[in-house]
Structure formats: C-alpha cells, structure tokens
Amino acid sequence: MRQIVLNILIAFLWVLFQDEDSFQFSTFVSGFIIGLIVIYILHRFFGQAFYPKKIWVAIKFLGVYLYQLITSSISIIKYILFKTNHMNPGLLTYETKLKNDWAITFLTILIIITPGSTVIRISKTTNKFFIHSIDVSEKEKESLLKSIKQYENLITEVTQ
C-alpha cells in the first residue's frame, strides 16, 4: 500500500515540477512510470514485494475465477437441461494448507459462489472442508478438486 501511494505522490510531484499551465494526463503517466522505476530500485527497503506483482496476481486471480464461474455455470445448465436423471450428488472432502482464518473464509466463499458446490462444514483442527457437490462422479470430482486447488494456490500467491 505504501508503494502505490508513494508512486502516485511521485507522479503528482512530476506534474508539478513540469511547470505546465494545466494538468496534462500524459505528464502524470510519465511521472507514474518514473515513480515505478524509482520504487523498483528502492522496493527492497520497503520490506515488501514490488507492488505491480500483486496487481498482476489479482488480475490473474480474477481471470481464473471468471473462467471457473463460466465453465461451472455451463455445466450446471447442461445438467439441468439434459442430465437430470444422471445426477450423482454427494459429499467430498478437501484438506487445505491455508492457515489464516480470512484465507480459509475466502476459499469457502469461492467454493460457495461456484455453482454446483457448497461447503457444509469446515473442521477447525485439520482445516478439512466437507463439500456437497451436485455430481461426485470421478470426472466431476477431479474437476472440482482441481479448481479448489487452483483457488488455494492463487490465495497463497496473493498472501505472500
């Protein structure tokens, strides 16, 4: 957070030092780029990772989530329209490596928002999720566990 505030401050100072009659967005952008360079050179003194990396991870996370949401929604629509007699609902478990309460809560929310699955219970001692799924056939089970693992990896990447 400190890095982005400092970067914006450098960009505004760059605009002020250019001595232009009015605010020019192009000058602000060039100041922002200069600020990025300065912060990249000095980022190890902040004790944090270079902040554009976090922005890239957040964009990647959003892309993965939207992809998973669209594909799972399409599969739920296919089940409703064509395979209502072939559904195999059931429970499955997933043990997470996440330790923070907010990260576990965030993973729970992502599982619940994804159509076709919901978290019934979370074991506090082992961080094991008990998940109800609309289809627990081997193919669908592997797909759901793979997407949960992908969410978990992205949450871990964001929190580092």
Side-chain angles (χ1 to χ4, degrees):
M1 184 67 183
R2 291 181 286 172
Q3 292 179 20
I4 195 162
V5 170
L6 181 61
N7 196 1
I8 292 171
L9 180 68
I10 290 171
F12 275 118
L13 287 174
W14 184 260
V15 170
L16 290 175
F17 290 147
Q18 291 302 313
D19 195 31
E20 296 173 341
D21 293 334
S22 62
F23 179 82
Q24 300 290 325
F25 186 72
S26 60
T27 307
F28 179 80
V29 170
S30 63
F32 194 83
I33 293 170
I34 290 171
L36 273 175
I37 294 169
V38 169
I39 290 173
Y40 179 73
I41 293 170
L42 300 174
H43 81 277
R44 60 181 171 255
F45 298 112
F46 288 104
Q48 298 172 337
F50 188 46
Y51 82 91
K53 180 183 176 200
K54 295 275 188 182
I55 293 171
W56 171 247
V57 169
I59 291 170
K60 186 169 76 169
F61 183 81
L62 182 64
V64 167
Y65 176 70
L66 290 176
Y67 172 77
Q68 292 289 341
L69 183 66
I70 290 169
T71 55
S72 61
S73 296
I74 290 170
S75 69
I76 294 298
I77 290 170
K78 286 194 311 191
Y79 275 116
I80 291 170
L81 293 177
F82 305 114
K83 297 181 181 180
T84 54
N85 296 334
H86 304 294
M87 282 190 197
N88 185 16
L91 295 175
L92 56 115
T93 60
Y94 179 79
E95 189 165 350
T96 182
K97 295 179 287 185
L98 299 174
K99 300 297 179 195
N100 296 342
D101 287 341
W102 71 268
I104 292 171
T105 304
F106 194 58
L107 181 62
T108 305
I109 291 169
L110 289 173
I111 294 170
I112 291 171
I113 290 175
T114 305
S117 61
T118 187
V119 176
I120 295 175
R121 183 171 185 265
I122 303 171
S123 173
K124 290 186 181 191
T125 57
T126 60
N127 289 340
K128 189 178 281 191
F129 288 87
F130 296 96
I131 303 167
H132 180 272
S133 179
I134 197 165
D135 190 3
V136 289
S137 63
E138 286 302 315
K139 180 182 173 189
E140 293 296 324
K141 182 179 176 181
E142 286 179 27
S143 173
L144 178 62
L145 292 176
K146 180 182 171 189
S147 65
I148 293 171
K149 183 69 175 169
Q150 195 172 23
Y151 289 149
E152 182 180 11
N153 290 339
L154 286 171
I155 290 172
T156 304
E157 193 174 345
V158 168
T159 57
Q160 290 180 354

